Amino acid sequence: MKKARVAYAGAIHQACEFNGQLKLADGRIVDEQNVIWLPPLEPRTVFALGLNYADHAKELAFKAPEEPLAFLKGPNTFIGHRGQTKRPIDATYMHYECELAVVIGKTAKNVKKEEAFEYVCGYTIANDYAIRDYLENYYRPNLKVKNRDTCTPIGPWLVDVRDIPDPMNLNLKTYVNGKLTQEGNTCDMIFGIAELIQYFSSFMTLSPGDVILTGTPEGLADTAVGDEITTEIEGIGKLVSTIVSDDIFTKGQDHSHIKIPY
């Protein structure tokens, strides 16, 4: 099942896919174009992986890591499907990153690799934009690179784990204004999903709602104001975001202080 969270008619709704439309939890059927898409879940602790595809590490002229290169992300980075991502005025290189996002479904501690998928409730798509101008060290991404407001669209769907029989063999694609610019497969991860769950749970407790962003393959390109970026993962869907200039918000039109009740 594909589940979503949307704002419609002044309220927040759980929804599911229904014959090309959305079926709200109260039974109403609405068109996908008539809702505001929210992240399909409220992320708790979010782990992000750097250089977790060998071709991407090579693309950036770095040796593949010998253990997971991980960092954490704050909640304000996340926006929903068809949202707007701010490009900093001083940015020269702002790259998309199509990533499979793994959602933890139950408390996990000291999990064995062979049992790791028992702790997964589902999958979604993340586009974890990176402002590479601010990168000090690929092995230690700083906060300005990966924790900027609006810079991680996620969704549109949370797909049940039972509907993705082999998450380690999914095609990933990114399109910029309809042109294919990135293509890869989750089979090329250096550290697979089971290994990552085993690794993180070996030294900390994972909780329901925690998310692991598993990295991106090669094929990065700069994005410009006005670009529409579509990240697609086989069996999960297509996530769309649009790049807007940061000065739109800095000139008094920033509504980030308005909190949407979840």
Side-chain angles (χ1 to χ4, degrees):
M1 176 180 289
K2 291 183 175 181
K3 296 176 286 186
R5 290 172 62 250
V6 299
Y8 177 75
I12 306 300
H13 302 270
Q14 299 290 331
C16 63
E17 187 181 38
F18 183 80
N19 295 332
Q21 295 182 295
L22 287 170
K23 184 176 183 179
L24 306 183
D26 61 14
R28 284 181 289 177
I29 308 298
V30 298
D31 192 279
E32 293 183 6
Q33 302 295 326
N34 294 334
V35 304
I36 297 173
W37 292 82
L38 305 174
L41 76 154
E42 293 182 74
R44 285 175 45 93
T45 303
V46 178
F47 306 87
L49 272 294
L51 305 178
N52 197 34
Y53 283 75
D55 55 3
H56 179 49
K58 182 178 179 181
E59 176 182 37
L60 297 174
F62 274 85
K63 179 183 176 182
E66 296 180 0
E67 68 175 69
L69 170 60
F71 52 95
L72 301 181
K73 294 181 63 67
N76 289 332
T77 64
F78 296 99
I79 60 171
H81 177 52
R82 299 193 182 281
Q84 294 182 331
T85 290
K86 297 185 288 184
R87 179 187 173 100
I89 298 171
D90 62 347
T92 304
Y93 301 104
M94 180 174 174
H95 296 162
Y96 52 75
E97 293 187 1
C98 179
E99 306 197 23
L100 176 66
V102 179
V103 181
I104 300 299
K106 62 180 182 179
T107 303
K109 179 64 176 174
N110 293 322
V111 174
K112 297 178 181 178
K113 180 179 175 181
E114 297 75 21
E115 300 172 353
F117 286 101
E118 298 176 15
Y119 295 84
V120 177
C121 71
Y123 306 96
T124 187
I125 304 169
N127 181 0
D128 194 17
Y129 286 102
I131 316 300
R132 300 207 182 276
D133 302 62
Y134 306 147
L135 193 61
E136 297 172 353
N137 185 326
Y138 278 104
Y139 289 94
R140 187 179 295 172
N142 66 23
L143 291 174
K144 291 178 69 176
V145 177
K146 285 293 189 175
N147 275 279
R148 298 186 68 89
D149 293 351
T150 76
C151 278
T152 311
I154 189 169
W157 309 106
L158 175 59
V159 180
D160 192 281
V161 64
R162 293 169 294 185
D163 296 330
I164 306 294
D166 188 3
M168 293 305 304
N169 187 24
L170 300 176
N171 291 320
L172 300 84
K173 297 179 181 180
T174 299
Y175 299 83
V176 178
N177 301 322
K179 179 182 177 181
L180 179 65
T181 56
Q182 182 183 38
E183 189 168 9
N185 190 287
T186 57
C187 69
D188 295 323
M189 288 183 195
I190 297 171
F191 303 102
I193 295 168
E195 292 173 281
L196 292 171
I197 293 174
Q198 176 180 262
Y199 174 75
F200 290 125
S201 71
S202 70
F203 59 86
M204 63 186 295
T205 300
L206 304 183
S207 300
D210 287 352
V211 180
I212 302 173
L213 307 185
T214 55
T216 195
E218 70 173 343
L220 302 186
D222 189 34
T223 58
V225 171
D227 283 348
E228 182 181 83
I229 314 300
T230 302
T231 47
E232 177 182 1
I233 299 182
E234 180 182 0
I236 299 177
K238 297 180 180 181
L239 172 66
V240 177
S241 65
T242 302
I243 307 297
V244 298
S245 175
D246 204 18
D247 63 4
I248 293 176
F249 295 85
T250 57
K251 291 179 180 178
Q253 299 184 44
D254 188 353
H255 302 292
S256 61
H257 63 286
I258 300 175
K259 301 297 183 183
I260 298 175
Y262 285 99

